[in-house]
């Protein structure tokens, strides 16, 4: 059973040293960031990084994000940084933005999955920054979850799944944002969003940078199709329960769709995940109602969504319907996670 250090209230300096030592010696540690929890290892130590892949059951072709705490570390992992990349760093670092940069081949091969690029981010979470600083090396860290499962946003959600697979857990309480960082790659003077996050297309365009969403953000990847970000090919965020995303232009259409589904499936145990304001539509329909947050507060929804996707599995449902969200600003990122969690099943 792995130990848990409690850093919710404050960072214990003695324990921080122990964490740094574990990382320096090639161990792996679950720690909080502002987005989701990560499983960290020394990015320059191939054996340590291998342990992450093993702990997660992660496909070897899916590269990891390298976390840094200062610009000297950036120099140690990436090269040829252009003006647009620099502008993105100046504006959004430290913070939830991962930039795909030219690798200078200093990180372990398994981190980049053999690509000549490396995904780098400087997180803003204080615990994460202190851990990287204390270990004095770039830290490779994918989201803390078994591959394919929803990402971990609180220790309680992931402890049992990872407890014998990592050396230590650092508990910093629930993460602020709740979904993973925006992943962006600059090509031909355009910032291409490979994975949407809290930093949105609109936020990047506001800087006067040309930006667009990669075409795979809402579409499934076809067999043998080439993708910019290998992570897009793999099963993601999925609860074990069958989930279906409800797409709708107006509330009435949505309620009609749900009514029809309930009528056609009377023998099934059904739940709906909905905006707080919509709970009233589903009362007296003999289905379970799970509220995901107010329609006026998408950030609250992003904070809750992975925990809700995990909670669904505790209810012994046959099927769970999930209301879709407007695809703008952070809504783009939430809808991207939902459509994948539902494995492209749409109502
Ligand atoms: O918020 C986050 O980014 C969290 C926290 C822990 O920092 N980390 C995270 O890592 O979500 P992970 O491994 O679950 O997701 C990394 C994503 C994958 O979709 C991967 O394919 C993509 O980044 N990626 C990493 N390196 C890449 C590269 N060189 N080129 C293209 N995509 C890359
Ligand atoms: Mg992940």
């Amino acid at each position: 059973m792995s130990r848990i250090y409690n850093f919710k209230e404050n960072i214990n300096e003695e324990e921080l040293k122990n964490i740094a030592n574990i990382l320096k010696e090639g161990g792996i540690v679950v720690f909080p960031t502002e987005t989701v929890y990560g499983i960290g290892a020394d990015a320059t130590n191939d054996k340590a990084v291998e342990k992450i892949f093993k702990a997660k059951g992660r496909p070897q072709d899916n590269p990891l994000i390298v976390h840094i705490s200062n610009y000297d570390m950036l120099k140690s992992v990436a090269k040829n940084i252009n003006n647009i990349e620099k502008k993105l760093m100046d504006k959004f670092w430290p913070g939830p933005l991962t930039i795909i940069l030219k690798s200078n081949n200093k990180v372990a091969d398994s981190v980049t999955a053999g690509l000549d690029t490396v995904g780098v981010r400087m997180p803003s979470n204080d615990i994460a920054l202190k851990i990287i600083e204390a270990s004095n090396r770039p830290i490779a860290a994918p989201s803390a979850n078994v591959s394919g499962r929803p990402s971990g946003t609180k220790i309680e959600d992931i402890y049992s799944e990872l407890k014998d697979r990592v050396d230590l857990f650092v508990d910093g309480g629930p993460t602020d944002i709740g979904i993973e960082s925006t992943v962006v790659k600059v090509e031909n003077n355009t910032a291409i969003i490979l994975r949407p996050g809290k930093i949105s297309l609109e936020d990047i365009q506001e800087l006067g940078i040309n930006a667009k969403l990669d075409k795979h953000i809402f579409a499934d990847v076809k067999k043998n199709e080439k993708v910019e970000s290998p992570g897009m090919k793999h099963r993601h965020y999925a609860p074990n329960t069958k989930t279906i995303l409800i797409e709708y232009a107006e509330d009435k259409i949505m309620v009609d769709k749900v009514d029809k589904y309930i009528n056609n499936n009377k023998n099934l145990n059904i739940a709906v995940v909905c905006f707080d304001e919509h709970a009233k539509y589903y009362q007296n329909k003999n289905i379970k109602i799970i509220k995901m947050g107010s329609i006026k507060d998408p950030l609250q929804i992003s904070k809750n969504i992975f925990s809700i996707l995990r909670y669904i599995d505790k209810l012994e449902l046959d099927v769970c319907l999930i209301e879709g969200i407007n695809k703008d600003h952070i809504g783009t990122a939430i809808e991207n996670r939902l459509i994948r969690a539902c494995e492209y099943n749409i109502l």
Side-chain angles (χ1 to χ4, degrees), residues 36-290:
V36 299
Y37 276 80
I39 309 180
D42 176 353
T44 62
N45 179 339
D46 224 341
K47 284 214 175 77
V49 174
E50 276 308 319
K51 289 185 193 164
I52 297 182
F53 280 89
K54 194 156 171 253
K56 282 186 63 108
R58 181 172 175 111
Q60 296 287 342
D61 68 346
N62 195 2
L64 307 182
I65 293 171
V66 174
H67 296 67
I68 56 169
S69 59
N70 59 55
Y71 283 91
D72 284 334
M73 271 188 206
L74 175 65
K75 277 189 224 141
S76 77
V77 297
K79 61 182 181 189
N80 302 347
I81 290 161
N82 67 36
N83 285 339
I84 296 178
E85 290 157 353
K86 174 88 178 33
K87 205 166 173 180
L88 290 168
M89 290 169 195
D90 286 347
K91 174 74 183 176
F92 298 117
W93 280 4
L97 182 74
T98 296
I99 312 178
I100 307 299
L101 299 166
K102 270 258 164 296
S103 165
N104 65 10
N105 302 317
K106 298 272 164 54
V107 296
D109 281 343
S110 48
V111 170
T112 57
L115 299 172
D116 58 2
T117 53
V118 58
V120 186
R121 111 172 168 93
M122 189 187 290
S124 61
N125 177 288
D126 206 34
I127 299 171
L129 283 174
K130 289 240 163 74
I131 290 174
I132 304 165
E133 200 69 31
S135 66
N136 194 25
R137 61 203 64 211
I139 299 295
S143 52
N145 53 281
V146 164
S147 246
R149 299 275 299 144
S151 303
T153 54
K154 43 173 101 121
I155 293 292
E156 303 87 286
D157 282 354
I158 49 178
Y159 187 75
S160 60
E161 162 174 327
L162 295 172
K163 66 177 183 291
D164 299 316
R165 302 174 179 222
V166 302
D167 295 301
L168 182 75
F169 290 82
V170 182
D171 191 351
T175 59
D176 279 344
I177 297 172
I179 51 178
E180 307 86 343
S181 61
T182 307
V183 177
V184 73
K185 183 176 191 183
V186 178
E187 255 174 15
N188 304 322
N189 294 319
T190 303
I192 305 164
I193 294 183
L194 304 180
R195 179 178 72 183
K198 174 163 188 278
I199 293 172
S200 64
L201 180 71
E202 294 89 338
D203 291 336
I204 294 175
Q205 286 169 335
E206 229 165 72
L207 297 181
I209 295 173
N210 269 335
K212 64 175 188 187
L213 296 176
D214 184 90
K215 66 173 193 290
H216 291 109
I217 282 181
F218 295 113
D220 202 354
V221 176
K222 299 191 184 63
K223 233 185 167 170
N224 302 325
E225 189 179 358
K226 184 183 176 301
V227 289
E228 281 292 343
S229 184
M232 290 176 177
K233 282 188 305 198
H234 301 292
R235 185 176 187 268
H236 253 110
Y237 317 120
N240 297 320
T241 309
K242 179 178 177 177
T243 46
I244 306 177
L245 187 66
I246 317 169
E247 285 200 338
Y248 56 98
E250 46 186 285
D251 291 6
K252 164 115 186 33
I253 298 175
M254 174 180 72
V255 177
D256 286 349
K257 281 184 176 179
V258 173
D259 280 342
K260 201 168 152 199
Y261 189 89
I262 297 172
N263 278 331
N264 289 341
N265 295 282
K266 286 211 172 80
N267 53 338
L268 296 187
N269 188 9
I270 302 172
V272 64
V273 174
C274 67
F275 292 109
D276 297 356
E277 291 85 348
H278 291 173
K280 59 176 190 249
Y281 298 145
Y282 307 110
Q283 244 109 56
N284 309 318
K285 290 195 199 290
N286 204 18
I287 60 173
K288 181 152 181 60
I289 301 168
I290 303 160

